[in-house]
């Protein structure tokens, strides 16, 4: 089956930055995150042999979630200067690869990826999202899985729908409801006091989502839990809404993913030389030799 890889680009860059020791060119430009992302990209191209590739980026502007809740991600510190400078340089790598890149003002990259993965054009095309963010687990379903890149020293884990049900006890699409109960410290989403993972799992299994839970509160025992949930009804609905990814992001028309073209290898090589990624040149050259030149019209479309 043909596969398209959709990359959660900023999340992967951040993962690389915090996993690797500082690196810089002789001119003093920081490169550790870019190097780590380049290593990931070469490994994905070698191991997955995707027919199509696409990048999703977070927009610089506040998203609808920030407008909906002033506390959303409000606890996050400013970006380190070395990471900010590499974010500024990231477009050079994406342009060298030449695959479609998507960013949507008002939305997060996760929403863009959820939209891209919503409706593959054919049952012969599988979608694999590559991320370092658990939020994208909710997108998994038949034909769509998630490759989670762990912290340094840990292997990446591939999650399909069945693997996520086995881990969390609920369907992937119900994970935002689980988050509404147990919270998410990464995004500064609050938890319900006294509700642990097992209790939250049972509630979601029984009631489906937060609207179902609120409608059926009289069935919840013990009384103390029922009272706690009733008092937090508005919070439950808001957190579930914030945690749920949008699948209706307006995106420009055109190819949703594309193969790495024949000219990309030379562009990537020139950039690796400029960034002094000398240890990656042999790996890049070997990969370029093993890939048949991509036809100019070999664009993989995902209908939206």
């Amino acid at each position: 089956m043909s596969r398209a890889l959709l990359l959660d680009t900023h999340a992967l860059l951040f993962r690389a930055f915090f996993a690797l020791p500082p690196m810089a060119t002789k001119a003093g430009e920081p490169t550790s995150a870019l190097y780590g992302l380049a290593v990931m990209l070469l490994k994905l191209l070698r191991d997955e042999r995707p027919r199509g590739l696409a990048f999703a980026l977070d927009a610089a502007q506040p998203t609808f979630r920030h407008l909906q809740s002033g506390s959303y991600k409000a606890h996050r510190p400013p970006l380190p200067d070395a990471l900010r400078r590499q974010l500024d340089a990231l477009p050079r790598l994406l342009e060298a690869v030449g695959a479609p890149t998507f960013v949507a003002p008002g939305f997060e990259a996760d929403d863009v990826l959820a939209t891209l993965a919503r409706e593959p054009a054919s049952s012969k095309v599988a979608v694999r999202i590559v991320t370092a963010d658990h939020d994208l687990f909710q997108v998994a379903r038949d034909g769509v899985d998630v490759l989670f890149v762990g912290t340094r020293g840990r292997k990446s884990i591939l999650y399909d729908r069945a693997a996520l049900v086995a881990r969390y006890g609920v369907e992937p699409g119900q994970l935002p409801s689980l988050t509404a109960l147990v919270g998410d410290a990464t995004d500064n989403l609050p938890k319900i006091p006294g509700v642990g993972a097992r209790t939250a799992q049972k509630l979601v299994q029984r009631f489906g989502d937060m609207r179902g839970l609120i409608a059926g509160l009289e069935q919840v025992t013990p009384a103390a839990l029922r009272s706690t949930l009733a008092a937090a009804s508005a919070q439950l609905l808001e957190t579930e809404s914030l945690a749920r990814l949008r699948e209706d992001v307006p995106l420009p028309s055109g190819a949703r993913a594309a193969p790495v073209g024949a000219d990309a290898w030379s562009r990537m090589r020139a950039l690796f030389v400029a960034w002094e990624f000398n240890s990656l040149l042999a790996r890049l050259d070997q990969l370029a030799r093993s890939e048949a030149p991509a036809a100019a019209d070999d664009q993989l479309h995902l209908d939206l």
Side-chain angles (χ1 to χ4, degrees):
M1 180 179 289
S2 298
R3 175 174 289 117
L5 293 183
L6 309 180
L7 273 62
D8 188 3
T9 316
H10 282 160
L12 298 175
L13 188 78
F14 284 33
R15 176 73 87 211
F17 179 81
F18 290 106
L20 297 176
M23 293 173 56
T25 65
K26 293 175 182 176
E29 287 300 313
T31 57
S32 61
L34 294 165
Y35 177 86
L37 181 60
V39 169
M40 289 185 217
L41 180 59
L42 293 181
K43 186 176 189 303
L44 287 168
L45 292 173
R46 182 195 68 196
D47 295 349
E48 301 285 345
R49 303 287 175 173
R51 182 178 162 211
L53 184 72
F55 300 105
L57 302 174
D58 290 306
Q61 304 92 336
T63 71
F64 74 91
R65 293 184 180 87
H66 296 94
L67 300 178
Q68 181 178 336
S69 171
S71 64
Y72 181 70
K73 295 187 178 181
H75 64 312
R76 295 191 177 184
L79 294 179
D81 180 67
L83 177 54
R84 180 188 56 76
R85 291 164 67 182
Q86 291 178 83
L87 278 170
D88 291 342
L90 175 62
R92 295 179 63 189
L93 177 59
L94 305 186
E95 290 165 5
V97 177
T101 298
F102 298 95
V103 58
F107 298 91
E108 298 181 42
D110 290 356
D111 300 303
V112 172
L113 291 164
T115 299
L116 289 171
R118 182 185 61 185
E119 189 178 345
S122 166
S123 61
K124 296 180 180 180
V125 178
V127 172
R128 178 159 294 166
I129 296 173
V130 186
T131 184
D133 189 343
H134 292 91
D135 293 344
L136 279 157
F137 286 172
Q138 65 185 270
V139 178
R141 56 182 173 274
D142 291 344
V144 180
D145 57 27
V146 180
L147 182 63
F148 181 76
V149 177
T151 55
R152 189 179 185 185
R154 294 187 179 183
K155 291 184 177 181
S156 298
I157 303 175
L158 182 62
Y159 289 101
D160 59 10
R161 174 196 160 275
L164 289 165
V165 171
R167 175 173 175 177
Y168 293 102
V170 299
E171 290 291 332
Q174 294 176 306
L175 289 173
S177 302
L178 208 62
T179 298
L181 292 161
V182 301
D184 183 346
T186 303
D187 292 340
N188 204 31
L189 298 177
K191 71 183 298 296
I192 301 301
V195 177
R198 183 58 182 154
T199 297
Q201 180 189 93
K202 290 180 178 179
L203 289 171
V204 175
Q205 288 173 343
R206 182 174 183 182
F207 296 102
D209 59 17
M210 291 304 95
R211 290 192 180 279
L213 173 59
I214 292 168
L217 275 177
E218 70 280 357
Q219 304 173 46
V220 173
T221 56
L225 175 59
R226 181 168 62 250
S227 178
T228 297
L229 294 172
S233 294
Q235 175 187 308
L236 288 168
L237 293 172
E238 180 177 73
T239 303
E240 183 183 49
S241 172
L242 291 169
R244 190 173 303 284
L245 299 182
R246 293 277 296 271
E247 297 184 345
D248 59 349
V249 177
L251 298 175
S253 60
R256 293 318 195 207
V260 177
D263 294 341
W265 306 108
S266 60
R267 292 195 301 266
M268 292 169 65
R269 196 179 204 286
L271 188 60
F272 286 6
V273 169
W275 283 344
E276 301 170 15
F277 294 169
N278 298 324
S279 63
L280 300 184
L281 294 179
R283 200 179 311 180
L284 176 68
D285 291 343
Q286 182 179 16
L287 187 58
R289 287 193 297 270
S290 68
E291 289 291 314
D297 61 347
D298 188 15
Q299 303 291 298
L300 177 62
H301 290 265
L302 304 181
D303 294 336
L304 298 179

